Short mmCIF file of all heavy atoms in Angstrom, two decimals:
data_model
loop_
_atom_site.label_atom_id
_atom_site.label_comp_id
_atom_site.label_asym_id
_atom_site.label_seq_id
_atom_site.Cartn_x
_atom_site.Cartn_y
_atom_site.Cartn_z
N MET Q 783 0.84 -1.18 0.00
CA MET Q 783 0.00 0.00 0.00
C MET Q 783 0.88 1.25 0.00
O MET Q 783 1.86 1.33 0.73
CB MET Q 783 -0.92 -0.01 1.22
CG MET Q 783 -1.73 1.27 1.37
SD MET Q 783 -2.70 1.30 2.87
CE MET Q 783 -4.29 1.06 2.17
N SER Q 784 0.56 2.20 -0.83
CA SER Q 784 1.37 3.42 -0.90
C SER Q 784 1.00 4.37 0.24
O SER Q 784 -0.06 4.27 0.84
CB SER Q 784 1.17 4.09 -2.25
OG SER Q 784 -0.19 4.36 -2.48
N ALA Q 785 1.90 5.29 0.51
CA ALA Q 785 1.70 6.26 1.58
C ALA Q 785 0.55 7.20 1.24
O ALA Q 785 0.29 7.50 0.07
CB ALA Q 785 2.98 7.05 1.79
N LEU Q 786 -0.13 7.66 2.26
CA LEU Q 786 -1.22 8.61 2.06
C LEU Q 786 -0.66 9.97 1.69
O LEU Q 786 0.37 10.40 2.21
CB LEU Q 786 -2.04 8.75 3.34
CG LEU Q 786 -2.81 7.53 3.80
CD1 LEU Q 786 -3.49 7.81 5.13
CD2 LEU Q 786 -3.81 7.10 2.77
N GLU Q 787 -1.36 10.63 0.81
CA GLU Q 787 -1.01 12.00 0.46
C GLU Q 787 -1.87 12.91 1.33
O GLU Q 787 -3.10 12.87 1.25
CB GLU Q 787 -1.29 12.25 -1.02
CG GLU Q 787 -0.62 13.48 -1.54
CD GLU Q 787 -0.72 13.60 -3.05
OE1 GLU Q 787 -0.78 12.57 -3.74
OE2 GLU Q 787 -0.73 14.75 -3.51
N LEU Q 788 -1.24 13.71 2.19
CA LEU Q 788 -1.98 14.49 3.19
C LEU Q 788 -1.93 16.00 2.97
O LEU Q 788 -2.51 16.74 3.75
CB LEU Q 788 -1.46 14.17 4.59
CG LEU Q 788 -1.62 12.71 5.03
CD1 LEU Q 788 -0.98 12.48 6.38
CD2 LEU Q 788 -3.09 12.32 5.05
N GLU Q 789 -1.24 16.46 1.93
CA GLU Q 789 -1.16 17.90 1.70
C GLU Q 789 -1.48 18.23 0.24
O GLU Q 789 -0.61 18.67 -0.51
CB GLU Q 789 0.21 18.42 2.11
CG GLU Q 789 0.42 18.29 3.60
CD GLU Q 789 1.61 19.08 4.11
OE1 GLU Q 789 2.29 19.75 3.33
OE2 GLU Q 789 1.83 19.03 5.33
N PRO Q 790 -2.74 18.04 -0.15
CA PRO Q 790 -3.13 18.31 -1.54
C PRO Q 790 -3.32 19.81 -1.78
O PRO Q 790 -3.39 20.61 -0.85
CB PRO Q 790 -4.47 17.59 -1.66
CG PRO Q 790 -5.05 17.73 -0.29
CD PRO Q 790 -3.87 17.56 0.63
N LEU Q 791 -3.43 20.14 -3.05
CA LEU Q 791 -3.88 21.48 -3.42
C LEU Q 791 -5.40 21.45 -3.39
O LEU Q 791 -6.02 20.50 -3.85
CB LEU Q 791 -3.43 21.86 -4.83
CG LEU Q 791 -1.98 22.23 -5.02
CD1 LEU Q 791 -1.70 22.49 -6.50
CD2 LEU Q 791 -1.60 23.45 -4.20
N ILE Q 792 -5.99 22.50 -2.84
CA ILE Q 792 -7.44 22.66 -2.91
C ILE Q 792 -7.69 23.90 -3.76
O ILE Q 792 -7.07 24.94 -3.54
CB ILE Q 792 -8.07 22.73 -1.51
CG1 ILE Q 792 -9.59 22.71 -1.61
CG2 ILE Q 792 -7.58 23.90 -0.71
CD1 ILE Q 792 -10.28 22.42 -0.29
N THR Q 793 -8.53 23.75 -4.76
CA THR Q 793 -8.76 24.83 -5.72
C THR Q 793 -10.18 25.33 -5.62
O THR Q 793 -11.14 24.56 -5.69
CB THR Q 793 -8.49 24.33 -7.16
OG1 THR Q 793 -7.15 23.85 -7.22
CG2 THR Q 793 -8.66 25.45 -8.17
N CYS Q 794 -10.32 26.64 -5.48
CA CYS Q 794 -11.63 27.27 -5.38
C CYS Q 794 -12.30 27.26 -6.75
O CYS Q 794 -11.74 27.77 -7.72
CB CYS Q 794 -11.49 28.70 -4.89
SG CYS Q 794 -13.06 29.60 -4.80
N PRO Q 795 -13.50 26.70 -6.85
CA PRO Q 795 -14.20 26.69 -8.13
C PRO Q 795 -14.70 28.07 -8.56
O PRO Q 795 -14.99 28.30 -9.72
CB PRO Q 795 -15.36 25.73 -7.90
CG PRO Q 795 -15.57 25.71 -6.43
CD PRO Q 795 -14.23 25.99 -5.81
N ARG Q 796 -14.75 29.00 -7.62
CA ARG Q 796 -15.24 30.35 -7.93
C ARG Q 796 -14.15 31.23 -8.53
O ARG Q 796 -14.32 31.82 -9.58
CB ARG Q 796 -15.80 31.01 -6.67
CG ARG Q 796 -16.33 32.40 -6.93
CD ARG Q 796 -16.97 32.97 -5.70
NE ARG Q 796 -17.36 34.35 -5.91
CZ ARG Q 796 -17.47 35.23 -4.94
NH1 ARG Q 796 -17.26 34.88 -3.69
NH2 ARG Q 796 -17.80 36.47 -5.22
N CYS Q 797 -12.98 31.29 -7.86
CA CYS Q 797 -11.94 32.23 -8.31
C CYS Q 797 -10.70 31.52 -8.86
O CYS Q 797 -9.83 32.17 -9.43
CB CYS Q 797 -11.55 33.18 -7.19
SG CYS Q 797 -10.55 32.44 -5.88
N GLY Q 798 -10.59 30.21 -8.65
CA GLY Q 798 -9.45 29.47 -9.17
C GLY Q 798 -8.22 29.49 -8.29
O GLY Q 798 -7.19 28.90 -8.66
N ALA Q 799 -8.28 30.13 -7.12
CA ALA Q 799 -7.13 30.14 -6.22
C ALA Q 799 -6.82 28.72 -5.76
O ALA Q 799 -7.72 27.98 -5.37
CB ALA Q 799 -7.41 31.03 -5.01
N ALA Q 800 -5.57 28.33 -5.82
CA ALA Q 800 -5.13 27.00 -5.40
C ALA Q 800 -4.17 27.15 -4.23
O ALA Q 800 -3.20 27.90 -4.31
CB ALA Q 800 -4.47 26.26 -6.55
N THR Q 801 -4.45 26.43 -3.16
CA THR Q 801 -3.66 26.53 -1.94
C THR Q 801 -3.35 25.13 -1.43
O THR Q 801 -4.21 24.26 -1.43
CB THR Q 801 -4.46 27.29 -0.85
OG1 THR Q 801 -4.89 28.54 -1.37
CG2 THR Q 801 -3.61 27.53 0.37
N GLN Q 802 -2.11 24.91 -1.02
CA GLN Q 802 -1.75 23.63 -0.43
C GLN Q 802 -2.22 23.64 1.02
O GLN Q 802 -1.93 24.57 1.77
CB GLN Q 802 -0.26 23.38 -0.50
CG GLN Q 802 0.11 21.98 -0.09
CD GLN Q 802 1.53 21.63 -0.44
OE1 GLN Q 802 2.32 22.48 -0.83
NE2 GLN Q 802 1.86 20.37 -0.31
N GLU Q 803 -2.96 22.61 1.40
CA GLU Q 803 -3.50 22.50 2.75
C GLU Q 803 -3.20 21.13 3.32
O GLU Q 803 -2.97 20.18 2.58
CB GLU Q 803 -5.03 22.71 2.73
CG GLU Q 803 -5.49 24.09 2.32
CD GLU Q 803 -5.17 25.17 3.34
OE1 GLU Q 803 -4.87 24.85 4.51
OE2 GLU Q 803 -5.21 26.35 2.96
N SER Q 804 -3.23 21.04 4.64
CA SER Q 804 -3.07 19.75 5.32
C SER Q 804 -4.44 19.17 5.60
O SER Q 804 -5.30 19.86 6.14
CB SER Q 804 -2.32 19.93 6.64
OG SER Q 804 -1.00 20.35 6.39
N MET Q 805 -4.63 17.91 5.24
CA MET Q 805 -5.91 17.24 5.50
C MET Q 805 -5.90 16.64 6.90
O MET Q 805 -4.90 16.05 7.32
CB MET Q 805 -6.12 16.08 4.52
CG MET Q 805 -6.61 16.49 3.19
SD MET Q 805 -7.16 15.07 2.23
CE MET Q 805 -5.60 14.42 1.64
N PRO Q 806 -7.02 16.75 7.60
CA PRO Q 806 -7.11 16.04 8.88
C PRO Q 806 -7.21 14.55 8.61
O PRO Q 806 -7.76 14.12 7.59
CB PRO Q 806 -8.41 16.59 9.49
CG PRO Q 806 -9.22 17.08 8.33
CD PRO Q 806 -8.22 17.52 7.29
N THR Q 807 -6.66 13.75 9.49
CA THR Q 807 -6.73 12.30 9.32
C THR Q 807 -7.79 11.68 10.22
O THR Q 807 -8.10 10.50 10.09
CB THR Q 807 -5.37 11.63 9.62
OG1 THR Q 807 -4.98 11.98 10.95
CG2 THR Q 807 -4.32 12.07 8.62
N ASN Q 808 -8.36 12.49 11.12
CA ASN Q 808 -9.31 11.94 12.09
C ASN Q 808 -10.71 12.54 11.97
O ASN Q 808 -11.56 12.29 12.82
CB ASN Q 808 -8.78 12.14 13.51
CG ASN Q 808 -8.60 13.61 13.84
OD1 ASN Q 808 -8.70 14.48 12.99
ND2 ASN Q 808 -8.31 13.90 15.10
N ALA Q 809 -10.96 13.35 10.94
CA ALA Q 809 -12.28 13.97 10.77
C ALA Q 809 -12.41 14.48 9.35
O ALA Q 809 -11.41 14.74 8.68
CB ALA Q 809 -12.43 15.14 11.74
N CYS Q 810 -13.67 14.61 8.91
CA CYS Q 810 -13.93 15.21 7.59
C CYS Q 810 -13.91 16.72 7.72
O CYS Q 810 -14.24 17.26 8.77
CB CYS Q 810 -15.30 14.79 7.08
SG CYS Q 810 -15.38 13.10 6.53
N GLN Q 811 -13.53 17.38 6.66
CA GLN Q 811 -13.59 18.84 6.64
C GLN Q 811 -14.71 19.23 5.69
O GLN Q 811 -14.59 19.10 4.48
CB GLN Q 811 -12.25 19.44 6.19
CG GLN Q 811 -12.26 20.94 6.29
CD GLN Q 811 -10.87 21.55 6.20
OE1 GLN Q 811 -9.88 20.90 6.50
NE2 GLN Q 811 -10.82 22.80 5.81
N TRP Q 812 -15.80 19.69 6.26
CA TRP Q 812 -16.99 20.00 5.47
C TRP Q 812 -16.98 21.42 4.92
O TRP Q 812 -17.71 21.71 3.97
CB TRP Q 812 -18.25 19.78 6.29
CG TRP Q 812 -18.51 18.32 6.54
CD1 TRP Q 812 -18.56 17.32 5.62
CD2 TRP Q 812 -18.71 17.70 7.80
NE1 TRP Q 812 -18.81 16.13 6.23
CE2 TRP Q 812 -18.90 16.33 7.57
CE3 TRP Q 812 -18.77 18.19 9.11
CZ2 TRP Q 812 -19.14 15.43 8.59
CZ3 TRP Q 812 -19.01 17.29 10.12
CH2 TRP Q 812 -19.19 15.93 9.86
N PHE Q 813 -16.21 22.31 5.52
CA PHE Q 813 -16.17 23.70 5.08
C PHE Q 813 -14.72 24.14 4.91
O PHE Q 813 -13.85 23.71 5.65
CB PHE Q 813 -16.85 24.62 6.10
CG PHE Q 813 -18.28 24.25 6.36
CD1 PHE Q 813 -18.63 23.55 7.51
CD2 PHE Q 813 -19.28 24.58 5.46
CE1 PHE Q 813 -19.95 23.19 7.76
CE2 PHE Q 813 -20.60 24.23 5.69
CZ PHE Q 813 -20.93 23.53 6.84
N TYR Q 814 -14.50 25.01 3.96
CA TYR Q 814 -13.17 25.57 3.71
C TYR Q 814 -13.37 26.96 3.14
O TYR Q 814 -14.10 27.15 2.17
CB TYR Q 814 -12.40 24.70 2.70
CG TYR Q 814 -11.07 25.30 2.30
CD1 TYR Q 814 -9.97 25.19 3.14
CD2 TYR Q 814 -10.92 25.98 1.11
CE1 TYR Q 814 -8.74 25.74 2.78
CE2 TYR Q 814 -9.71 26.54 0.75
CZ TYR Q 814 -8.62 26.42 1.59
OH TYR Q 814 -7.42 26.98 1.23
N GLU Q 815 -12.74 27.95 3.76
CA GLU Q 815 -12.84 29.32 3.27
C GLU Q 815 -11.68 29.61 2.34
O GLU Q 815 -10.51 29.52 2.74
CB GLU Q 815 -12.85 30.33 4.41
CG GLU Q 815 -13.05 31.75 3.92
CD GLU Q 815 -13.14 32.77 5.04
OE1 GLU Q 815 -13.76 32.48 6.07
OE2 GLU Q 815 -12.56 33.86 4.87
N CYS Q 816 -11.99 29.95 1.10
CA CYS Q 816 -10.97 30.28 0.11
C CYS Q 816 -10.21 31.53 0.56
O CYS Q 816 -10.81 32.55 0.88
CB CYS Q 816 -11.63 30.53 -1.25
SG CYS Q 816 -10.48 31.16 -2.48
N PRO Q 817 -8.88 31.45 0.58
CA PRO Q 817 -8.10 32.62 0.98
C PRO Q 817 -8.12 33.72 -0.09
O PRO Q 817 -7.80 34.86 0.20
CB PRO Q 817 -6.68 32.08 1.17
CG PRO Q 817 -6.64 30.84 0.36
CD PRO Q 817 -8.03 30.28 0.33
N GLY Q 818 -8.51 33.39 -1.32
CA GLY Q 818 -8.55 34.37 -2.39
C GLY Q 818 -9.81 35.22 -2.39
O GLY Q 818 -9.75 36.44 -2.35
N CYS Q 819 -10.98 34.54 -2.42
CA CYS Q 819 -12.24 35.29 -2.56
C CYS Q 819 -13.15 35.16 -1.35
O CYS Q 819 -14.22 35.76 -1.31
CB CYS Q 819 -12.99 34.82 -3.81
SG CYS Q 819 -13.63 33.12 -3.71
N ARG Q 820 -12.75 34.40 -0.36
CA ARG Q 820 -13.49 34.18 0.89
C ARG Q 820 -14.77 33.37 0.71
O ARG Q 820 -15.59 33.30 1.61
CB ARG Q 820 -13.81 35.50 1.61
CG ARG Q 820 -12.59 36.32 1.95
CD ARG Q 820 -11.75 35.58 2.97
NE ARG Q 820 -10.60 36.37 3.36
CZ ARG Q 820 -9.42 35.85 3.60
NH1 ARG Q 820 -9.22 34.58 3.50
NH2 ARG Q 820 -8.42 36.61 3.95
N GLU Q 821 -14.94 32.73 -0.47
CA GLU Q 821 -16.06 31.82 -0.67
C GLU Q 821 -15.90 30.63 0.28
O GLU Q 821 -14.81 30.12 0.46
CB GLU Q 821 -16.05 31.31 -2.13
CG GLU Q 821 -17.11 30.32 -2.43
CD GLU Q 821 -18.45 30.95 -2.77
OE1 GLU Q 821 -18.53 32.20 -2.88
OE2 GLU Q 821 -19.41 30.19 -2.94
N VAL Q 822 -16.99 30.23 0.92
CA VAL Q 822 -16.95 29.06 1.79
C VAL Q 822 -17.34 27.85 0.96
O VAL Q 822 -18.47 27.75 0.47
CB VAL Q 822 -17.89 29.23 3.01
CG1 VAL Q 822 -17.89 27.96 3.85
CG2 VAL Q 822 -17.44 30.41 3.85
N LEU Q 823 -16.38 26.95 0.76
CA LEU Q 823 -16.60 25.75 -0.03
C LEU Q 823 -17.21 24.66 0.84
O LEU Q 823 -16.89 24.56 2.02
CB LEU Q 823 -15.28 25.25 -0.62
CG LEU Q 823 -14.42 26.25 -1.39
CD1 LEU Q 823 -13.19 25.55 -1.94
CD2 LEU Q 823 -15.21 26.91 -2.49
N GLN Q 824 -18.07 23.86 0.22
CA GLN Q 824 -18.68 22.71 0.87
C GLN Q 824 -18.56 21.53 -0.08
O GLN Q 824 -18.39 21.72 -1.29
CB GLN Q 824 -20.14 22.99 1.16
CG GLN Q 824 -20.36 24.13 2.14
CD GLN Q 824 -21.84 24.35 2.40
OE1 GLN Q 824 -22.62 23.42 2.48
NE2 GLN Q 824 -22.22 25.61 2.54
N PRO Q 825 -18.66 20.31 0.42
CA PRO Q 825 -18.57 19.14 -0.47
C PRO Q 825 -19.70 19.14 -1.50
O PRO Q 825 -20.81 19.58 -1.21
CB PRO Q 825 -18.72 17.94 0.47
CG PRO Q 825 -18.49 18.46 1.84
CD PRO Q 825 -18.84 19.91 1.82
N LEU Q 826 -19.39 18.66 -2.68
CA LEU Q 826 -20.41 18.47 -3.71
C LEU Q 826 -21.26 17.25 -3.34
O LEU Q 826 -20.83 16.40 -2.56
CB LEU Q 826 -19.75 18.26 -5.07
CG LEU Q 826 -18.87 19.40 -5.58
CD1 LEU Q 826 -18.18 18.99 -6.87
CD2 LEU Q 826 -19.70 20.67 -5.78
N ALA Q 827 -22.44 17.16 -3.90
CA ALA Q 827 -23.31 16.02 -3.65
C ALA Q 827 -22.57 14.72 -3.94
O ALA Q 827 -21.91 14.59 -4.97
CB ALA Q 827 -24.56 16.12 -4.52
N GLY Q 828 -22.62 13.79 -3.01
CA GLY Q 828 -21.95 12.51 -3.17
C GLY Q 828 -20.54 12.46 -2.61
O GLY Q 828 -19.97 11.39 -2.49
N ASP Q 829 -19.97 13.62 -2.27
CA ASP Q 829 -18.63 13.66 -1.67
C ASP Q 829 -18.75 13.85 -0.17
O ASP Q 829 -19.72 14.43 0.33
CB ASP Q 829 -17.79 14.80 -2.26
CG ASP Q 829 -17.24 14.48 -3.63
OD1 ASP Q 829 -17.22 13.29 -4.01
OD2 ASP Q 829 -16.84 15.43 -4.33
N CYS Q 830 -17.74 13.36 0.56
CA CYS Q 830 -17.80 13.43 2.02
C CYS Q 830 -17.11 14.66 2.60
O CYS Q 830 -17.35 15.00 3.75
CB CYS Q 830 -17.19 12.16 2.61
SG CYS Q 830 -15.47 11.89 2.15
N CYS Q 831 -16.24 15.32 1.82
CA CYS Q 831 -15.53 16.48 2.37
C CYS Q 831 -15.05 17.39 1.23
O CYS Q 831 -15.12 17.02 0.06
CB CYS Q 831 -14.35 16.02 3.22
SG CYS Q 831 -13.03 15.23 2.30
N VAL Q 832 -14.57 18.57 1.58
CA VAL Q 832 -14.12 19.52 0.56
C VAL Q 832 -12.88 19.02 -0.19
O VAL Q 832 -12.69 19.37 -1.35
CB VAL Q 832 -13.86 20.93 1.14
CG1 VAL Q 832 -15.14 21.57 1.63
CG2 VAL Q 832 -12.82 20.91 2.24
N PHE Q 833 -12.08 18.18 0.45
CA PHE Q 833 -10.90 17.65 -0.25
C PHE Q 833 -11.31 16.69 -1.36
O PHE Q 833 -10.70 16.65 -2.42
CB PHE Q 833 -9.93 16.99 0.73
CG PHE Q 833 -9.27 17.98 1.63
CD1 PHE Q 833 -9.68 18.14 2.94
CD2 PHE Q 833 -8.25 18.80 1.17
CE1 PHE Q 833 -9.08 19.07 3.77
CE2 PHE Q 833 -7.65 19.75 1.97
CZ PHE Q 833 -8.07 19.89 3.29
N CYS Q 834 -12.37 15.90 -1.11
CA CYS Q 834 -12.86 14.99 -2.15
C CYS Q 834 -13.47 15.76 -3.32
O CYS Q 834 -13.41 15.32 -4.46
CB CYS Q 834 -13.86 14.01 -1.56
SG CYS Q 834 -13.09 12.75 -0.51
N SER Q 835 -14.04 16.92 -3.04
CA SER Q 835 -14.68 17.72 -4.09
C SER Q 835 -13.70 18.64 -4.82
O SER Q 835 -13.74 18.73 -6.04
CB SER Q 835 -15.80 18.58 -3.49
OG SER Q 835 -16.84 17.79 -3.01
N ASP Q 836 -12.84 19.33 -4.08
CA ASP Q 836 -12.02 20.38 -4.68
C ASP Q 836 -10.51 20.20 -4.50
O ASP Q 836 -9.74 21.06 -4.91
CB ASP Q 836 -12.43 21.75 -4.09
CG ASP Q 836 -13.89 22.08 -4.39
OD1 ASP Q 836 -14.26 22.04 -5.57
OD2 ASP Q 836 -14.65 22.36 -3.45
N GLY Q 837 -10.10 19.09 -3.93
CA GLY Q 837 -8.67 18.83 -3.73
C GLY Q 837 -8.08 17.99 -4.85
O GLY Q 837 -8.80 17.37 -5.63
N THR Q 838 -6.75 17.97 -4.91
CA THR Q 838 -6.07 17.17 -5.93
C THR Q 838 -6.06 15.69 -5.59
O THR Q 838 -5.79 14.87 -6.46
CB THR Q 838 -4.62 17.66 -6.14
OG1 THR Q 838 -3.95 17.68 -4.87
CG2 THR Q 838 -4.59 19.04 -6.77
N VAL Q 839 -6.31 15.35 -4.33
CA VAL Q 839 -6.47 13.95 -3.92
C VAL Q 839 -7.65 13.85 -2.96
O VAL Q 839 -8.02 14.84 -2.32
CB VAL Q 839 -5.20 13.36 -3.24
CG1 VAL Q 839 -4.04 13.30 -4.20
CG2 VAL Q 839 -4.83 14.12 -2.00
N LYS Q 840 -8.20 12.66 -2.87
CA LYS Q 840 -9.32 12.41 -1.95
C LYS Q 840 -8.80 12.33 -0.52
O LYS Q 840 -7.61 12.19 -0.27
CB LYS Q 840 -10.02 11.09 -2.32
CG LYS Q 840 -10.48 11.01 -3.75
CD LYS Q 840 -11.65 11.92 -4.00
CE LYS Q 840 -12.18 11.73 -5.42
NZ LYS Q 840 -13.21 12.66 -5.78
N CYS Q 841 -9.72 12.37 0.44
CA CYS Q 841 -9.36 12.32 1.85
C CYS Q 841 -8.75 10.96 2.23
O CYS Q 841 -8.89 9.99 1.48
CB CYS Q 841 -10.58 12.64 2.71
SG CYS Q 841 -11.89 11.41 2.61
N PRO Q 842 -8.06 10.86 3.37
CA PRO Q 842 -7.37 9.63 3.75
C PRO Q 842 -8.23 8.36 3.73
O PRO Q 842 -7.79 7.35 3.17
CB PRO Q 842 -6.81 9.94 5.15
CG PRO Q 842 -6.55 11.41 5.09
CD PRO Q 842 -7.72 11.97 4.29
N PRO Q 843 -9.45 8.36 4.31
CA PRO Q 843 -10.22 7.11 4.24
C PRO Q 843 -10.53 6.68 2.80
O PRO Q 843 -10.45 5.49 2.49
CB PRO Q 843 -11.52 7.44 4.99
CG PRO Q 843 -11.12 8.53 5.93
CD PRO Q 843 -10.11 9.34 5.17
N ILE Q 844 -10.84 7.60 1.93
CA ILE Q 844 -11.12 7.26 0.53
C ILE Q 844 -9.83 6.77 -0.15
O ILE Q 844 -9.87 5.80 -0.92
CB ILE Q 844 -11.73 8.45 -0.22
CG1 ILE Q 844 -13.05 8.89 0.45
CG2 ILE Q 844 -11.94 8.12 -1.69
CD1 ILE Q 844 -14.14 7.86 0.46
N GLN Q 845 -8.68 7.39 0.15
CA GLN Q 845 -7.42 6.92 -0.39
C GLN Q 845 -7.14 5.46 0.03
O GLN Q 845 -6.53 4.70 -0.71
CB GLN Q 845 -6.24 7.80 0.07
CG GLN Q 845 -6.21 9.17 -0.54
CD GLN Q 845 -4.99 9.96 -0.07
OE1 GLN Q 845 -3.86 9.48 -0.13
NE2 GLN Q 845 -5.22 11.18 0.42
N GLN Q 846 -7.60 5.10 1.23
CA GLN Q 846 -7.38 3.75 1.75
C GLN Q 846 -8.44 2.76 1.29
O GLN Q 846 -8.38 1.58 1.62
CB GLN Q 846 -7.35 3.79 3.29
CG GLN Q 846 -6.17 4.55 3.82
CD GLN Q 846 -6.23 4.71 5.33
OE1 GLN Q 846 -7.28 4.94 5.91
NE2 GLN Q 846 -5.08 4.58 5.98
N GLY Q 847 -9.44 3.26 0.55
CA GLY Q 847 -10.47 2.37 0.03
C GLY Q 847 -11.59 2.07 1.00
O GLY Q 847 -12.31 1.08 0.84
N THR Q 848 -11.77 2.91 2.01
CA THR Q 848 -12.87 2.74 2.95
C THR Q 848 -13.83 3.91 2.84
O THR Q 848 -13.55 4.89 2.16
CB THR Q 848 -12.35 2.65 4.40
OG1 THR Q 848 -11.69 3.87 4.74
CG2 THR Q 848 -11.39 1.49 4.57
N SER Q 849 -14.95 3.82 3.52
CA SER Q 849 -15.90 4.93 3.50
C SER Q 849 -15.43 6.03 4.44
O SER Q 849 -14.62 5.79 5.33
CB SER Q 849 -17.30 4.47 3.88
OG SER Q 849 -17.30 4.00 5.20
N CYS Q 850 -15.94 7.20 4.22
CA CYS Q 850 -15.47 8.37 4.97
C CYS Q 850 -16.61 9.04 5.71
O CYS Q 850 -17.56 9.50 5.06
CB CYS Q 850 -14.81 9.36 4.00
SG CYS Q 850 -14.21 10.85 4.81
N CYS Q 851 -16.54 9.12 6.98
CA CYS Q 851 -17.43 9.96 7.80
C CYS Q 851 -18.91 9.74 7.53
O CYS Q 851 -19.70 10.66 7.67
CB CYS Q 851 -17.08 11.42 7.60
SG CYS Q 851 -15.35 11.79 7.82
N GLY Q 852 -19.29 8.61 7.07
CA GLY Q 852 -20.69 8.34 6.81
C GLY Q 852 -21.25 9.04 5.59
O GLY Q 852 -22.44 9.09 5.38
N GLY Q 853 -20.39 9.63 4.76
CA GLY Q 853 -20.86 10.39 3.61
C GLY Q 853 -20.73 9.61 2.33
O GLY Q 853 -20.52 8.40 2.34
N GLY Q 854 -20.87 10.28 1.24
CA GLY Q 854 -20.83 9.85 -0.15
C GLY Q 854 -20.29 8.50 -0.50
O GLY Q 854 -20.93 7.49 -0.30
N THR Q 855 -19.09 8.45 -1.04
CA THR Q 855 -18.57 7.25 -1.69
C THR Q 855 -18.22 6.14 -0.76
O THR Q 855 -17.88 6.05 0.27
CB THR Q 855 -17.35 7.59 -2.56
OG1 THR Q 855 -16.41 8.32 -1.81
CG2 THR Q 855 -17.78 8.32 -3.79
#
């Protein structure tokens, strides 16, 4: 099994600002405030967290092939 990627880029769908962030490994992150335009991002339908929706990699449980926080996939 490969190592988890824990610092993806998260890209704002409104303004396109991309920021490297650290993902929590013990909880889902449902909200994220874009540092560029201050838009508050939320997961898209079917996703469990903002990293699964707007990040370059999915959250740790999804990377490991398990379900995440009782949400989406």
Side-chain angles (χ1 to χ4, degrees):
M783 174 185 253
S784 56
L786 295 176
E787 196 171 331
L788 298 175
E789 294 194 0
L791 285 177
I792 188 165
T793 302
C794 178
R796 181 176 174 206
C797 74
T801 306
Q802 189 167 10
E803 295 290 344
S804 294
M805 280 192 280
T807 58
N808 61 351
C810 286
Q811 185 165 336
W812 290 308
F813 302 102
Y814 174 79
E815 184 177 320
C816 172
C819 68
R820 302 294 182 217
E821 177 84 6
V822 176
L823 308 182
Q824 297 180 38
L826 300 174
D829 283 343
C830 60
C831 67
V832 294
F833 291 103
C834 287
S835 294
D836 299 306
T838 54
V839 296
K840 305 289 185 186
C841 66
I844 300 298
Q845 289 182 51
Q846 293 174 320
T848 62
S849 64
C850 179
C851 308
T855 52

